[in-house]
Amino acid sequence: MSKIGKISISIPEKVKVSLEGAILKMEGPLGKNNISMNTEIFSLDIKDGKEVSIKPKVINQETKRIWGLNRSLINNAIKGVNEGYTRILELSGVGFRAALKGNQLNLQLGFSHDINYIIPEGVKIIVEKQTIIKISGQDKQLVGAVTAKIKSFKKTEPYKGKGIKEQGQYILRKEGKKK
């Protein structure tokens, strides 16, 4: 049995969830989201608009593996349309700056050229200071993918800690050369 799959998902007051055929539709303060479910494998129960539970029709090795995954995907989508997801990035290094230019994020990271990253739809990027980037959206996977892509432009190096890191991320520091 899946430990995570057994737990029912509580629906916040502001969110409406409905099942239309094989598509689970969610609507909340931050927007709408749809998840296509395989109704041949799983049955979804929406109780009074306050709880959603997912159960496999037949329990075997295959359904046990994806039961918890599907429950987590539904939970993340409900949380996304209600609260959304936010990640904060910090730029540390001499001359490292970020700025918004229309739908592009302009990054100056010590290279001979600036990096222009086109912001995908569904993600909102705010540059609070020149060194702090706030990434938010309703899709957890998309927010994480954008964060990872921006971090990959300049990975944090272990000697001085220069680069792009998430707020609160621990960087393993190394000692420099000794005489």
Side-chain angles (χ1 to χ4, degrees):
M1 297 293 276
S2 174
K3 293 178 184 176
I4 295 171
K6 285 191 248 177
I7 304 167
S8 62
I9 304 161
S10 61
I11 302 171
E13 292 178 17
K14 300 173 187 173
V15 179
K16 294 175 185 171
V17 178
S18 62
L19 182 66
E20 296 176 13
I23 297 173
L24 187 68
K25 294 188 175 190
M26 288 149 273
E27 189 174 334
L30 293 181
K32 297 177 181 179
N33 202 346
N34 297 331
I35 295 178
S36 60
M37 300 297 300
N38 191 345
T39 54
E40 295 173 9
I41 299 173
F42 295 105
S43 64
L44 284 160
D45 297 326
I46 301 171
K47 297 173 188 158
D48 302 326
K50 297 187 182 196
E51 270 190 354
V52 176
S53 60
I54 182 169
K55 291 191 172 125
K57 293 182 177 175
V58 177
I59 297 176
N60 58 25
Q61 288 294 328
E62 293 257 340
T63 56
K64 281 183 192 178
R65 287 187 196 131
I66 56 176
W67 186 6
L69 170 73
N70 282 312
R71 188 252 178 219
S72 293
L73 290 174
I74 295 168
N75 188 40
N76 290 343
I78 289 173
K79 187 179 174 192
V81 295
N82 187 34
E83 302 165 13
Y85 292 95
T86 303
R87 297 253 185 117
I88 298 172
L89 294 177
E90 296 174 344
L91 280 71
S92 57
V94 178
F96 286 18
R97 282 186 223 107
L100 282 173
K101 292 183 179 176
N103 69 336
Q104 289 186 343
L105 177 68
N106 179 272
L107 297 167
Q108 295 176 351
L109 301 173
F111 299 123
S112 61
H113 59 282
D114 293 357
I115 297 170
N116 291 319
Y117 177 70
I118 298 170
I119 301 168
E121 271 189 50
V123 174
K124 186 178 174 187
I125 294 182
I126 300 168
V127 179
E128 291 180 348
K129 296 180 186 174
Q130 288 184 334
T131 58
I132 295 177
I133 304 168
K134 192 174 185 181
I135 303 164
S136 59
Q138 71 174 3
D139 188 1
K140 186 175 184 178
Q141 189 270 331
L142 187 60
V143 170
V146 169
T147 304
K149 181 67 178 172
I150 293 171
K151 281 172 61 177
S152 73
F153 293 137
K154 187 76 171 184
K155 293 185 175 128
T156 314
E157 54 97 11
Y159 296 100
K160 291 185 179 178
K162 292 174 21 176
I164 304 173
K165 67 175 186 127
E166 279 192 61
Q167 194 174 40
Q169 179 182 349
Y170 178 75
I171 304 297
L172 184 70
R173 300 294 292 270
K174 291 184 179 178
E175 194 174 343
K177 286 185 181 179
K178 291 182 179 178
K179 286 188 176 183

